[in-house]
mmCIF file of all heavy atoms in Angstrom:
data_model
loop_
_atom_site.group_PDB
_atom_site.id
_atom_site.type_symbol
_atom_site.label_atom_id
_atom_site.label_comp_id
_atom_site.label_asym_id
_atom_site.label_seq_id
_atom_site.Cartn_x
_atom_site.Cartn_y
_atom_site.Cartn_z
ATOM 1 N N HIS A 1388 -7.238 3.927 9.979
ATOM 2 C CA HIS A 1388 -6.355 5.075 9.817
ATOM 3 C C HIS A 1388 -5.031 4.584 9.252
ATOM 4 O O HIS A 1388 -4.621 3.446 9.494
ATOM 5 C CB HIS A 1388 -6.138 5.757 11.169
ATOM 6 C CG HIS A 1388 -5.355 7.016 11.079
ATOM 7 N ND1 HIS A 1388 -4.061 7.130 11.550
ATOM 8 C CD2 HIS A 1388 -5.673 8.240 10.563
ATOM 9 C CE1 HIS A 1388 -3.630 8.369 11.345
ATOM 10 N NE2 HIS A 1388 -4.584 9.060 10.748
ATOM 11 N N HIS A 1389 -4.345 5.421 8.503
ATOM 12 C CA HIS A 1389 -3.146 4.948 7.809
ATOM 13 C C HIS A 1389 -2.050 4.498 8.767
ATOM 14 O O HIS A 1389 -1.276 3.597 8.434
ATOM 15 C CB HIS A 1389 -2.626 5.989 6.821
ATOM 16 C CG HIS A 1389 -1.954 7.184 7.423
ATOM 17 N ND1 HIS A 1389 -2.540 7.987 8.381
ATOM 18 C CD2 HIS A 1389 -0.720 7.746 7.191
ATOM 19 C CE1 HIS A 1389 -1.711 8.964 8.709
ATOM 20 N NE2 HIS A 1389 -0.608 8.843 8.013
ATOM 21 N N THR A 1390 -1.992 5.064 9.977
ATOM 22 C CA THR A 1390 -0.978 4.591 10.924
ATOM 23 C C THR A 1390 -1.285 3.169 11.388
ATOM 24 O O THR A 1390 -0.382 2.331 11.499
ATOM 25 C CB THR A 1390 -0.891 5.528 12.137
ATOM 26 O OG1 THR A 1390 -2.185 5.626 12.759
ATOM 27 C CG2 THR A 1390 -0.431 6.916 11.725
ATOM 28 N N SER A 1391 -2.553 2.889 11.654
ATOM 29 C CA SER A 1391 -2.940 1.535 12.058
ATOM 30 C C SER A 1391 -2.701 0.549 10.917
ATOM 31 O O SER A 1391 -2.240 -0.583 11.144
ATOM 32 C CB SER A 1391 -4.420 1.499 12.460
ATOM 33 O OG SER A 1391 -4.695 2.424 13.480
ATOM 34 N N TYR A 1392 -3.018 0.970 9.696
ATOM 35 C CA TYR A 1392 -2.871 0.063 8.550
ATOM 36 C C TYR A 1392 -1.395 -0.219 8.273
ATOM 37 O O TYR A 1392 -1.016 -1.375 8.002
ATOM 38 C CB TYR A 1392 -3.543 0.674 7.324
ATOM 39 C CG TYR A 1392 -3.702 -0.300 6.180
ATOM 40 C CD1 TYR A 1392 -4.471 -1.459 6.339
ATOM 41 C CD2 TYR A 1392 -3.095 -0.073 4.948
ATOM 42 C CE1 TYR A 1392 -4.621 -2.358 5.293
ATOM 43 C CE2 TYR A 1392 -3.249 -0.966 3.899
ATOM 44 C CZ TYR A 1392 -4.003 -2.101 4.077
ATOM 45 O OH TYR A 1392 -4.159 -2.992 3.036
ATOM 46 N N MET A 1393 -0.556 0.805 8.351
ATOM 47 C CA MET A 1393 0.878 0.565 8.154
ATOM 48 C C MET A 1393 1.425 -0.349 9.236
ATOM 49 O O MET A 1393 2.311 -1.186 8.965
ATOM 50 C CB MET A 1393 1.632 1.894 8.139
ATOM 51 C CG MET A 1393 1.402 2.729 6.893
ATOM 52 S SD MET A 1393 2.489 4.186 6.746
ATOM 53 C CE MET A 1393 1.912 5.194 8.108
ATOM 54 N N ASN A 1394 0.897 -0.232 10.440
ATOM 55 C CA ASN A 1394 1.328 -1.121 11.514
ATOM 56 C C ASN A 1394 0.937 -2.562 11.218
ATOM 57 O O ASN A 1394 1.709 -3.500 11.475
ATOM 58 C CB ASN A 1394 0.711 -0.659 12.835
ATOM 59 C CG ASN A 1394 1.332 -1.335 14.036
ATOM 60 O OD1 ASN A 1394 2.548 -1.515 14.102
ATOM 61 N ND2 ASN A 1394 0.500 -1.730 14.988
ATOM 62 N N GLU A 1395 -0.263 -2.762 10.658
ATOM 63 C CA GLU A 1395 -0.689 -4.110 10.252
ATOM 64 C C GLU A 1395 0.220 -4.662 9.163
ATOM 65 O O GLU A 1395 0.612 -5.846 9.200
ATOM 66 C CB GLU A 1395 -2.125 -4.069 9.745
ATOM 67 C CG GLU A 1395 -3.179 -3.870 10.816
ATOM 68 C CD GLU A 1395 -4.581 -3.939 10.241
ATOM 69 O OE1 GLU A 1395 -4.804 -4.749 9.316
ATOM 70 O OE2 GLU A 1395 -5.449 -3.175 10.700
ATOM 71 N N LEU A 1396 0.546 -3.832 8.173
ATOM 72 C CA LEU A 1396 1.422 -4.280 7.085
ATOM 73 C C LEU A 1396 2.794 -4.669 7.619
ATOM 74 O O LEU A 1396 3.386 -5.676 7.195
ATOM 75 C CB LEU A 1396 1.555 -3.175 6.039
ATOM 76 C CG LEU A 1396 0.282 -2.780 5.283
ATOM 77 C CD1 LEU A 1396 0.558 -1.583 4.374
ATOM 78 C CD2 LEU A 1396 -0.270 -3.950 4.477
ATOM 79 N N LEU A 1397 3.294 -3.887 8.558
ATOM 80 C CA LEU A 1397 4.602 -4.177 9.138
ATOM 81 C C LEU A 1397 4.563 -5.481 9.920
ATOM 82 O O LEU A 1397 5.464 -6.328 9.800
ATOM 83 C CB LEU A 1397 5.022 -3.021 10.042
ATOM 84 C CG LEU A 1397 6.439 -3.087 10.630
ATOM 85 C CD1 LEU A 1397 7.483 -3.008 9.523
ATOM 86 C CD2 LEU A 1397 6.653 -1.953 11.625
ATOM 87 N N ALA A 1398 3.511 -5.673 10.719
ATOM 88 C CA ALA A 1398 3.382 -6.898 11.510
ATOM 89 C C ALA A 1398 3.229 -8.125 10.624
ATOM 90 O O ALA A 1398 3.662 -9.234 10.995
ATOM 91 C CB ALA A 1398 2.190 -6.782 12.455
ATOM 92 N N ALA A 1399 2.631 -7.949 9.451
ATOM 93 C CA ALA A 1399 2.437 -9.078 8.530
ATOM 94 C C ALA A 1399 3.672 -9.359 7.688
ATOM 95 O O ALA A 1399 3.660 -10.275 6.856
ATOM 96 C CB ALA A 1399 1.242 -8.792 7.623
ATOM 97 N N GLY A 1400 4.723 -8.587 7.866
ATOM 98 C CA GLY A 1400 5.952 -8.806 7.118
ATOM 99 C C GLY A 1400 5.909 -8.294 5.692
ATOM 100 O O GLY A 1400 6.741 -8.687 4.864
ATOM 101 N N ARG A 1401 4.998 -7.396 5.419
ATOM 102 C CA ARG A 1401 4.865 -6.888 4.048
ATOM 103 C C ARG A 1401 5.683 -5.622 3.813
ATOM 104 O O ARG A 1401 5.720 -5.110 2.697
ATOM 105 C CB ARG A 1401 3.388 -6.630 3.731
ATOM 106 C CG ARG A 1401 2.542 -7.888 3.767
ATOM 107 C CD ARG A 1401 1.051 -7.623 3.604
ATOM 108 N NE ARG A 1401 0.711 -7.138 2.277
ATOM 109 C CZ ARG A 1401 -0.545 -6.911 1.862
ATOM 110 N NH1 ARG A 1401 -1.557 -7.136 2.698
ATOM 111 N NH2 ARG A 1401 -0.772 -6.460 0.643
ATOM 112 N N LEU A 1402 6.317 -5.113 4.856
ATOM 113 C CA LEU A 1402 7.160 -3.926 4.737
ATOM 114 C C LEU A 1402 8.532 -4.204 5.337
ATOM 115 O O LEU A 1402 8.646 -4.853 6.378
ATOM 116 C CB LEU A 1402 6.532 -2.732 5.458
ATOM 117 C CG LEU A 1402 5.267 -2.113 4.858
ATOM 118 C CD1 LEU A 1402 4.718 -1.046 5.791
ATOM 119 C CD2 LEU A 1402 5.549 -1.526 3.480
ATOM 120 N N SER A 1403 9.558 -3.695 4.677
ATOM 121 C CA SER A 1403 10.922 -3.767 5.202
ATOM 122 C C SER A 1403 11.425 -2.343 5.410
ATOM 123 O O SER A 1403 11.277 -1.489 4.528
ATOM 124 C CB SER A 1403 11.833 -4.510 4.217
ATOM 125 O OG SER A 1403 11.410 -5.858 4.069
ATOM 126 N N LEU A 1404 12.023 -2.109 6.561
ATOM 127 C CA LEU A 1404 12.459 -0.760 6.919
ATOM 128 C C LEU A 1404 13.943 -0.742 7.251
ATOM 129 O O LEU A 1404 14.497 -1.722 7.772
ATOM 130 C CB LEU A 1404 11.665 -0.245 8.126
ATOM 131 C CG LEU A 1404 10.141 -0.196 7.997
ATOM 132 C CD1 LEU A 1404 9.520 0.211 9.335
ATOM 133 C CD2 LEU A 1404 9.721 0.767 6.900
ATOM 134 N N ASP A 1405 14.562 0.376 6.960
ATOM 135 C CA ASP A 1405 15.958 0.602 7.318
ATOM 136 C C ASP A 1405 16.019 1.889 8.124
ATOM 137 O O ASP A 1405 15.983 2.999 7.579
ATOM 138 C CB ASP A 1405 16.820 0.710 6.056
ATOM 139 C CG ASP A 1405 18.299 0.917 6.387
ATOM 140 O OD1 ASP A 1405 18.640 0.939 7.591
ATOM 141 O OD2 ASP A 1405 19.111 1.068 5.448
ATOM 142 N N GLY A 1406 16.104 1.743 9.433
ATOM 143 C CA GLY A 1406 16.103 2.896 10.310
ATOM 144 C C GLY A 1406 17.300 3.798 10.124
ATOM 145 O O GLY A 1406 17.247 4.990 10.470
ATOM 146 N N ASP A 1407 18.390 3.284 9.556
ATOM 147 C CA ASP A 1407 19.583 4.103 9.361
ATOM 148 C C ASP A 1407 19.315 5.269 8.413
ATOM 149 O O ASP A 1407 20.012 6.284 8.452
ATOM 150 C CB ASP A 1407 20.729 3.249 8.818
ATOM 151 C CG ASP A 1407 21.243 2.253 9.856
ATOM 152 O OD1 ASP A 1407 20.991 2.490 11.058
ATOM 153 O OD2 ASP A 1407 21.871 1.258 9.468
ATOM 154 N N LYS A 1408 18.307 5.124 7.562
ATOM 155 C CA LYS A 1408 17.978 6.203 6.630
ATOM 156 C C LYS A 1408 17.439 7.437 7.359
ATOM 157 O O LYS A 1408 17.371 8.523 6.774
ATOM 158 C CB LYS A 1408 16.949 5.719 5.613
ATOM 159 C CG LYS A 1408 17.465 4.642 4.667
ATOM 160 C CD LYS A 1408 16.398 4.273 3.645
ATOM 161 C CE LYS A 1408 16.917 3.239 2.655
ATOM 162 N NZ LYS A 1408 15.898 2.906 1.618
ATOM 163 N N LEU A 1409 17.030 7.244 8.603
ATOM 164 C CA LEU A 1409 16.473 8.350 9.383
ATOM 165 C C LEU A 1409 17.422 8.814 10.480
ATOM 166 O O LEU A 1409 17.035 9.579 11.365
ATOM 167 C CB LEU A 1409 15.142 7.924 10.021
ATOM 168 C CG LEU A 1409 14.052 7.418 9.069
ATOM 169 C CD1 LEU A 1409 12.823 6.967 9.867
ATOM 170 C CD2 LEU A 1409 13.666 8.485 8.068
ATOM 171 N N ALA A 1410 18.665 8.344 10.417
ATOM 172 C CA ALA A 1410 19.609 8.604 11.505
ATOM 173 C C ALA A 1410 19.868 10.095 11.714
ATOM 174 O O ALA A 1410 20.198 10.528 12.821
ATOM 175 C CB ALA A 1410 20.921 7.874 11.235
ATOM 176 N N ASN A 1411 19.724 10.888 10.648
ATOM 177 C CA ASN A 1411 20.040 12.318 10.762
ATOM 178 C C ASN A 1411 18.869 13.158 11.252
ATOM 179 O O ASN A 1411 18.986 14.378 11.371
ATOM 180 C CB ASN A 1411 20.504 12.862 9.406
ATOM 181 C CG ASN A 1411 19.399 12.780 8.355
ATOM 182 O OD1 ASN A 1411 18.545 11.899 8.421
ATOM 183 N ND2 ASN A 1411 19.441 13.680 7.382
ATOM 184 N N LEU A 1412 17.731 12.526 11.564
ATOM 185 C CA LEU A 1412 16.554 13.292 11.976
ATOM 186 C C LEU A 1412 16.624 13.751 13.423
ATOM 187 O O LEU A 1412 16.051 14.768 13.787
ATOM 188 C CB LEU A 1412 15.280 12.455 11.774
ATOM 189 C CG LEU A 1412 14.748 12.330 10.349
ATOM 190 C CD1 LEU A 1412 13.476 11.503 10.343
ATOM 191 C CD2 LEU A 1412 14.483 13.700 9.743
ATOM 192 N N GLY A 1413 17.278 12.989 14.280
ATOM 193 C CA GLY A 1413 17.297 13.321 15.695
ATOM 194 C C GLY A 1413 16.090 12.748 16.421
ATOM 195 O O GLY A 1413 15.386 11.861 15.922
ATOM 196 N N ALA A 1414 15.824 13.271 17.595
ATOM 197 C CA ALA A 1414 14.723 12.766 18.419
ATOM 198 C C ALA A 1414 13.377 13.194 17.835
ATOM 199 O O ALA A 1414 13.256 14.245 17.196
ATOM 200 C CB ALA A 1414 14.860 13.268 19.853
ATOM 201 N N VAL A 1415 12.364 12.353 18.089
ATOM 202 C CA VAL A 1415 11.024 12.570 17.551
ATOM 203 C C VAL A 1415 10.019 12.530 18.697
ATOM 204 O O VAL A 1415 10.162 11.750 19.649
ATOM 205 C CB VAL A 1415 10.661 11.493 16.506
ATOM 206 C CG1 VAL A 1415 9.225 11.681 16.011
ATOM 207 C CG2 VAL A 1415 11.629 11.533 15.336
ATOM 208 N N THR A 1416 8.997 13.364 18.622
ATOM 209 C CA THR A 1416 7.859 13.265 19.540
ATOM 210 C C THR A 1416 6.597 13.079 18.721
ATOM 211 O O THR A 1416 6.495 13.593 17.601
ATOM 212 C CB THR A 1416 7.750 14.508 20.444
ATOM 213 O OG1 THR A 1416 6.757 14.287 21.440
ATOM 214 C CG2 THR A 1416 7.382 15.760 19.661
ATOM 215 N N TRP A 1417 5.665 12.319 19.245
ATOM 216 C CA TRP A 1417 4.417 12.023 18.523
ATOM 217 C C TRP A 1417 3.286 12.875 19.085
ATOM 218 O O TRP A 1417 3.058 12.919 20.288
ATOM 219 C CB TRP A 1417 4.070 10.545 18.649
ATOM 220 C CG TRP A 1417 2.669 10.197 18.200
ATOM 221 C CD1 TRP A 1417 1.616 9.827 18.975
ATOM 222 C CD2 TRP A 1417 2.175 10.196 16.851
ATOM 223 N NE1 TRP A 1417 0.493 9.606 18.213
ATOM 224 C CE2 TRP A 1417 0.802 9.816 16.896
ATOM 225 C CE3 TRP A 1417 2.750 10.480 15.602
ATOM 226 C CZ2 TRP A 1417 0.006 9.719 15.759
ATOM 227 C CZ3 TRP A 1417 1.959 10.375 14.462
ATOM 228 C CH2 TRP A 1417 0.614 9.995 14.545
ATOM 229 N N HIS A 1418 2.581 13.554 18.180
ATOM 230 C CA HIS A 1418 1.402 14.341 18.542
ATOM 231 C C HIS A 1418 0.161 13.507 18.259
ATOM 232 O O HIS A 1418 -0.108 13.147 17.111
ATOM 233 C CB HIS A 1418 1.365 15.640 17.736
ATOM 234 C CG HIS A 1418 0.033 16.331 17.777
ATOM 235 N ND1 HIS A 1418 -0.432 16.971 18.910
ATOM 236 C CD2 HIS A 1418 -0.945 16.462 16.839
ATOM 237 C CE1 HIS A 1418 -1.634 17.478 18.650
ATOM 238 N NE2 HIS A 1418 -1.963 17.172 17.410
ATOM 239 N N ASP A 1419 -0.599 13.181 19.311
ATOM 240 C CA ASP A 1419 -1.803 12.366 19.156
ATOM 241 C C ASP A 1419 -2.951 13.208 18.599
ATOM 242 O O ASP A 1419 -3.420 14.140 19.279
ATOM 243 C CB ASP A 1419 -2.235 11.789 20.510
ATOM 244 C CG ASP A 1419 -1.284 10.746 21.036
ATOM 245 O OD1 ASP A 1419 -1.426 9.582 20.638
ATOM 246 O OD2 ASP A 1419 -0.403 11.110 21.844
ATOM 247 N N PRO A 1420 -3.428 12.929 17.385
ATOM 248 C CA PRO A 1420 -4.601 13.652 16.882
ATOM 249 C C PRO A 1420 -5.839 13.321 17.724
ATOM 250 O O PRO A 1420 -6.050 12.170 18.110
ATOM 251 C CB PRO A 1420 -4.761 13.127 15.445
ATOM 252 C CG PRO A 1420 -3.440 12.507 15.103
ATOM 253 C CD PRO A 1420 -2.891 11.984 16.384
ATOM 254 N N CYS A 1421 -6.646 14.320 18.008
ATOM 255 C CA CYS A 1421 -7.829 14.116 18.860
ATOM 256 C C CYS A 1421 -8.766 13.067 18.280
ATOM 257 O O CYS A 1421 -9.293 12.214 19.001
ATOM 258 C CB CYS A 1421 -8.577 15.425 19.041
ATOM 259 S SG CYS A 1421 -7.587 16.760 19.746
ATOM 260 N N TYR A 1422 -8.996 13.127 16.966
ATOM 261 C CA TYR A 1422 -9.972 12.240 16.358
ATOM 262 C C TYR A 1422 -9.422 10.836 16.113
ATOM 263 O O TYR A 1422 -10.174 9.935 15.762
ATOM 264 C CB TYR A 1422 -10.499 12.843 15.048
ATOM 265 C CG TYR A 1422 -11.609 13.835 15.281
ATOM 266 C CD1 TYR A 1422 -11.350 15.095 15.812
ATOM 267 C CD2 TYR A 1422 -12.929 13.516 15.006
ATOM 268 C CE1 TYR A 1422 -12.363 16.006 16.053
ATOM 269 C CE2 TYR A 1422 -13.961 14.415 15.244
ATOM 270 C CZ TYR A 1422 -13.665 15.665 15.767
ATOM 271 O OH TYR A 1422 -14.684 16.553 16.006
ATOM 272 N N LEU A 1423 -8.141 10.639 16.318
ATOM 273 C CA LEU A 1423 -7.559 9.299 16.280
ATOM 274 C C LEU A 1423 -7.473 8.721 17.687
ATOM 275 O O LEU A 1423 -7.822 7.559 17.903
ATOM 276 C CB LEU A 1423 -6.166 9.343 15.663
ATOM 277 C CG LEU A 1423 -5.440 7.998 15.547
ATOM 278 C CD1 LEU A 1423 -6.174 7.050 14.615
ATOM 279 C CD2 LEU A 1423 -3.995 8.202 15.079
ATOM 280 N N GLY A 1424 -7.026 9.537 18.642
ATOM 281 C CA GLY A 1424 -6.815 9.074 20.004
ATOM 282 C C GLY A 1424 -8.062 9.121 20.857
ATOM 283 O O GLY A 1424 -8.706 8.096 21.108
ATOM 284 N N ARG A 1425 -8.431 10.304 21.317
ATOM 285 C CA ARG A 1425 -9.577 10.399 22.229
ATOM 286 C C ARG A 1425 -10.871 9.902 21.602
ATOM 287 O O ARG A 1425 -11.711 9.311 22.276
ATOM 288 C CB ARG A 1425 -9.748 11.844 22.718
ATOM 289 C CG ARG A 1425 -8.927 12.177 23.944
ATOM 290 C CD ARG A 1425 -9.316 13.506 24.513
ATOM 291 N NE ARG A 1425 -8.979 14.605 23.642
ATOM 292 C CZ ARG A 1425 -7.811 15.244 23.638
ATOM 293 N NH1 ARG A 1425 -6.865 14.857 24.480
ATOM 294 N NH2 ARG A 1425 -7.584 16.248 22.831
ATOM 295 N N TYR A 1426 -11.063 10.161 20.330
ATOM 296 C CA TYR A 1426 -12.312 9.747 19.695
ATOM 297 C C TYR A 1426 -12.350 8.259 19.379
ATOM 298 O O TYR A 1426 -13.419 7.642 19.423
ATOM 299 C CB TYR A 1426 -12.534 10.538 18.399
ATOM 300 C CG TYR A 1426 -13.286 11.830 18.591
ATOM 301 C CD1 TYR A 1426 -12.643 12.971 19.068
ATOM 302 C CD2 TYR A 1426 -14.634 11.929 18.303
ATOM 303 C CE1 TYR A 1426 -13.325 14.166 19.250
ATOM 304 C CE2 TYR A 1426 -15.329 13.118 18.476
ATOM 305 C CZ TYR A 1426 -14.673 14.235 18.954
ATOM 306 O OH TYR A 1426 -15.368 15.411 19.132
ATOM 307 N N ASN A 1427 -11.203 7.678 19.041
ATOM 308 C CA ASN A 1427 -11.221 6.293 18.561
ATOM 309 C C ASN A 1427 -10.251 5.365 19.263
ATOM 310 O O ASN A 1427 -10.160 4.188 18.918
ATOM 311 C CB ASN A 1427 -10.957 6.279 17.048
ATOM 312 C CG ASN A 1427 -12.129 6.841 16.266
ATOM 313 O OD1 ASN A 1427 -13.133 6.181 16.069
ATOM 314 N ND2 ASN A 1427 -12.018 8.099 15.828
ATOM 315 N N GLY A 1428 -9.514 5.876 20.246
ATOM 316 C CA GLY A 1428 -8.722 5.003 21.105
ATOM 317 C C GLY A 1428 -7.460 4.439 20.493
ATOM 318 O O GLY A 1428 -6.881 3.491 21.037
ATOM 319 N N GLU A 1429 -6.983 4.993 19.386
ATOM 320 C CA GLU A 1429 -5.757 4.481 18.770
ATOM 321 C C GLU A 1429 -4.567 5.308 19.241
ATOM 322 O O GLU A 1429 -4.357 6.437 18.807
ATOM 323 C CB GLU A 1429 -5.858 4.530 17.240
ATOM 324 C CG GLU A 1429 -4.613 4.021 16.519
ATOM 325 C CD GLU A 1429 -4.243 2.593 16.899
ATOM 326 O OE1 GLU A 1429 -3.477 2.424 17.895
ATOM 327 O OE2 GLU A 1429 -4.723 1.663 16.231
#
C-alpha cells in the first residue's frame, strides 16, 4: 500500500520532509481503512 511504501522510502533516507510546510493545517486524525487495517494488519 502506498502508505507502507512511503514509510519504507522515508526509513531508507530517500525522502526529505519539512514539517513546517504543514504548520497551518492544525491537528490531524487518521482514519484506518478497513481493507488496510482489519484485512491486512497495517
